[in-house]
Every structure is written in C-alpha cells, then in structure tokens.
Amino acid sequence: MKSRYTNIGKTVLISMTTVLTFAACDDDMGNTEVAHQPYVLALGITSSGTTTYYAVTTDNLTDSTHNISAIGQGIEQNGYRDYQQGGQTIFSIGGLGVTSATGIQRDADGFIQEHGNFVFNTTPAGFCQIDDKTMAAMELPTSTNKGGSLTFYTADINTLALNNKVTGTTVAPMDEHEWPYVTGMAHAGKYLYVSYEPMNPNTFTSDYADTSFVAVYSYPECQFVKLMKDTRFGNIGSWNAFNGFQKDENGDIYAMSNTSTANGFTQSPKHSGFLRIKAGQLDFDPSYSFDYEALTGQKVIHWTYVGNGKVFAEVTTRLDAPAWSDADLKCCIIDLINKTSIDVAGIPVHNGNGGRRFSCLAEGSSVYLPIATPSGVNIYHTDITTAKATKGAKVSASFVAGIFRMK
C-alpha cells in the first residue's frame, strides 16, 4: 500500500462481541488486493480496549458466504475516525484527540490510497459538501475557555488542497444557553446551515432540548446571518451522530429532532419529528411538520436520504433506552412527503455503533447496512421498493464505521 500508520490506540465505548485473530498490514500486503473493487468499508477492530481502523475494498456485499476482512489488505488509520464521502473522495475525519482529516482515493491502478492530510486545531465540528468540487468544514472551540470564534475551511474534493480559511466569526449567539455541540451541517443556496445541541460541557445535561436551533452563515463569506428557532420540536439531531439534516433533490433541507436518551439526551421534552427548510430560505417552513412519534410511538435515531422524499432510518423500539446506549433499534422506510412509515422486514432488532455517524449506503433502490449481532457483523441489503431485507456478506470486524461506493 501507499501508506501505513502505527496505531496509537484509544479507549472506545463499544466492546467486542467476538475475539478476532488479526494479522497486521504491512507495506508488502497491498499486492494481495484486487483493483477497482467498487465498495469501500471502514472496519473498526477492537481488542483489549483499543480500536484500529482499516479502509478495505470489496466487490460483494450481498453474498452471505462472502467474508470482508482487512487481513492482507487495507489502509490502517490511527486513533478515532469518522468517515464521510464527497465525490470520489472518502474523508477520514479524526476525533477524540485526532485533529486531522485524510482523503482516501483511487490511484491510477484502481487501488485505494491515502492522499492529503488536513490538520485542524480541533476536530472539525461540521463537514459538508458544497458542490462537485468543494467541501466545507467548521472548527468550533471545545469550550468557552478555548476561545469564542469559529473557523471555516473549504477544500478541493479532488486535489484535497485547502482553498480558503475564514477566522473570527463569533460562536455567539449559538452559546446563548449552553455550549453548542454541532449535530449537522448542510449547504443550500447562499447559506451554510448548522444544527446544534446546547449541552453543559461539564455535566453533559441537555437543559434546553425543547427548541430546534439552526445557525445560518453566508457562503462563501462564512459570516453569521441568522439564528433560526422553532418550538414545534426539540433540538435538531444529536451530538456525535451528525444526523441533523438530509437534503433532497430540490435543495430543500429536512431537519430531524429526536431528543432521545439513546442518543445521550438527559431529557426528552418534545416528540421526535421532522421540520423543513425550503432551499435557501432563512426560516423553517411553517407549512410543514411531521410528528413521527405521534404516528409510531418511536423516535428516529439515524437516517439517510434514499430519494423521492423517502429516508431509510433506524428508530428506537423503546423510549426509555439507557443513556448513550444507541440500543434496541429497528429499520424503517419513512416517507417525508406523505408522512408514513413502513417497517423493514428481515432485519433483526439490534444495537447501533454507539451514537456515531450512520454507517449506511444508499444505492438506487438498495440500502446496505452493516449490523452487529451476537453471531457477528453482516451487511443487510434492503430493497426500498418492497421494504424487505436479506442478510448478506459477513464482515470480520467489531463494527463498520463507514460504507461507500467509489468508481
């Protein structure tokens, strides 16, 4: 492979369900890989309280006899990692002390390799795609004594060059209650939209969970424009899951509120539901509100847009889930336009990945979701048209932190 890192280790919240025997990658193992395999998975392998991440490729997600493994292949990455795709680049974003973001791309021979390395002062709090060429990132101090200013960056998706840096935009008024913890970031029209949860940085209590907050910044100037508030639902998204927003084909942004204890909220004063921001507007759409909890008795935890106003989601099967548990989830197809929800058949009730980003791939009428059960990790393939799922490839890992398709 083109590059390797020595794992520096970290303590994680997710325990291994299976003891894995694993051979570490080294520089001469890349020749066992197959070029141009379309799917890229970020595997988290945990042993003795330490997790190592590996980006690997495969051409098969649906065959239940197929095993996806990092043995003999893959890019090893240090520290805690989250993953997000922009164009034909997968951004590996560090957290919990790792403040860099690395790009994963295909080389001329069709193998994946690391390319570029952005080093931030702190872990990027927000990260989203602007267009076919550009990603935007936002850096937020970790607390009031770390400074009161935001830093915005833009990066070229293909070359991974940093094109612009804007400093000095104040955190205020996002900090008018407690310190803001970013839960989502999206671009539409001339604006960047940032959802957040006001949370006490010492006790992690969510005392202001009864209102939806979205801060709006001009783009590309990255100057504060407006703080949007709505009391129909509570906070948008949840910290560390980066699940506040989904954008549809028209550029409209749907905002999800759950205030679920499963995602770390200490109180749940409002129902789980959806609001909408029409493309480029500076207010929540007063004509749209979807009270999902009133319809189903459940809260949405993770979701991804699959087209035509529909999302694939993991929802709670119990409203009293233990704090930060991300537990007892089932899968549904939610129609945001017609305000309906259909349970997906064939996927067992399961636990998530500890409240981090949703590791899920939507491709045409198919959704691929890695799920860990006592028997191991498998990819489940859901047909959106029938709401039925089948158990697919096995994954030799503790969990899957990201799943993507690259040309």
Side-chain angles (χ1 to χ4, degrees):
M1 296 299 296
K2 296 294 188 294
S3 58
R4 288 286 180 268
Y5 290 95
T6 300
N7 177 51
I8 63 173
K10 73 174 185 70
T11 301
V12 295
L13 300 177
I14 305 170
S15 300
M16 279 190 69
T17 57
T18 305
V19 177
L20 297 169
T21 301
F22 184 76
C25 294
D26 60 29
D27 286 339
D28 63 0
M29 284 188 174
N31 57 19
T32 67
E33 294 184 63
V34 178
H36 298 291
Q37 295 194 113
Y39 300 106
V40 180
L41 287 80
L43 309 186
I45 298 175
T46 304
S47 180
S48 302
T50 298
T51 296
T52 307
Y53 292 84
Y54 296 87
V56 304
T57 64
T58 185
D59 63 355
N60 192 329
L61 298 175
T62 58
D63 184 350
S64 61
T65 66
H66 179 62
N67 183 58
I68 301 170
S69 169
I71 296 177
Q73 65 165 338
I75 300 171
E76 181 182 346
Q77 299 196 301
N78 64 318
Y80 183 95
R81 294 279 166 175
D82 269 319
Y83 296 83
Q84 183 170 334
Q85 187 168 9
Q88 294 305 302
T89 298
I90 297 169
F91 292 87
S92 171
I93 308 162
L96 295 180
V98 180
T99 60
S100 63
T102 303
I104 297 173
Q105 298 177 332
R106 291 200 187 278
D107 64 16
D109 297 320
F111 296 102
I112 60 170
Q113 65 170 344
E114 289 179 320
H115 181 64
N117 187 49
F118 313 114
V119 179
F120 300 93
N121 294 322
T122 60
T123 300
F127 204 63
C128 72
Q129 188 166 351
I130 301 297
D131 52 35
D132 292 341
K133 298 180 179 179
T134 308
M135 298 290 287
M138 186 185 78
E139 198 174 76
L140 171 71
T142 54
S143 62
T144 54
N145 61 1
K146 300 292 184 180
S149 296
L150 305 171
T151 302
F152 291 89
Y153 301 84
T154 57
D156 188 292
I157 288 174
N158 299 310
T159 67
L160 299 176
L162 285 174
N163 294 331
N164 193 32
K165 179 179 179 180
V166 178
T167 60
T169 303
T170 62
V171 175
M174 285 197 294
D175 60 349
E176 66 181 0
H177 297 302
E178 292 281 8
W179 197 248
Y181 287 78
V182 173
T183 62
M185 182 172 169
H187 170 263
K190 302 182 293 181
Y191 303 113
L192 289 171
Y193 298 86
V194 178
S195 61
Y196 64 94
E197 173 188 348
M199 188 163 60
N200 186 297
N202 299 311
T203 63
F204 300 105
T205 55
S206 42
D207 296 331
Y208 300 92
D210 61 350
T211 302
S212 300
F213 299 100
V214 172
V216 186
Y217 299 87
S218 61
Y219 182 82
E221 301 84 5
C222 301
Q223 299 300 305
F224 176 75
V225 175
K226 185 177 182 179
L227 180 60
M228 296 168 49
K229 298 181 182 181
D230 199 298
T231 57
R232 287 175 289 179
F233 295 108
N235 296 170
I236 300 300
S238 51
W239 178 59
N240 206 47
F242 212 70
N243 56 353
F245 297 135
Q246 297 291 336
K247 188 164 69 170
D248 71 7
E249 298 88 345
N250 301 315
D252 294 343
I253 296 172
Y254 286 88
M256 182 273 289
S257 174
N258 65 15
T259 60
S260 171
T261 56
N263 277 158
F265 283 90
T266 57
Q267 61 170 307
S268 186
K270 297 287 179 72
H271 277 187
S272 174
F274 302 93
L275 298 173
R276 181 171 63 193
I277 306 168
K278 297 290 285 184
Q281 297 301 301
L282 293 174
D283 293 289
F284 290 103
D285 183 352
S287 68
Y288 181 85
S289 176
F290 178 10
D291 191 331
Y292 184 79
E293 191 171 335
L295 176 70
T296 65
Q298 299 155 350
K299 291 180 179 290
V300 179
I301 303 298
H302 307 289
W303 60 318
T304 191
Y305 190 72
V306 297
N308 299 316
K310 294 181 179 179
V311 297
F312 178 87
E314 288 181 318
V315 306
T316 56
T317 59
R318 50 182 292 194
L319 297 181
D320 62 343
W324 298 106
S325 63
D326 203 23
D328 301 312
L329 308 178
K330 71 175 182 180
C331 293
C332 300
I333 299 169
I334 302 171
D335 190 324
L336 298 172
I337 306 301
N338 296 309
K339 301 181 182 179
T340 61
S341 181
I342 300 173
D343 290 352
V344 174
I347 295 180
V349 173
H350 58 278
N351 294 339
N353 283 348
R356 61 190 301 153
R357 292 172 189 247
F358 195 23
S359 177
C360 180
L361 172 64
E363 182 181 36
S365 61
S366 295
V367 172
Y368 302 98
L369 176 67
I371 293 176
T373 66
S375 62
V377 180
N378 285 85
I379 307 294
Y380 281 79
H381 169 226
T382 299
D383 183 337
I384 295 298
T385 62
T386 63
K388 294 180 179 179
T390 54
K391 187 177 182 179
K394 179 177 176 59
V395 184
S396 292
S398 307
F399 61 93
V400 178
I403 177 170
F404 310 96
R405 184 180 178 108
M406 293 176 65
K407 294 179 181 177

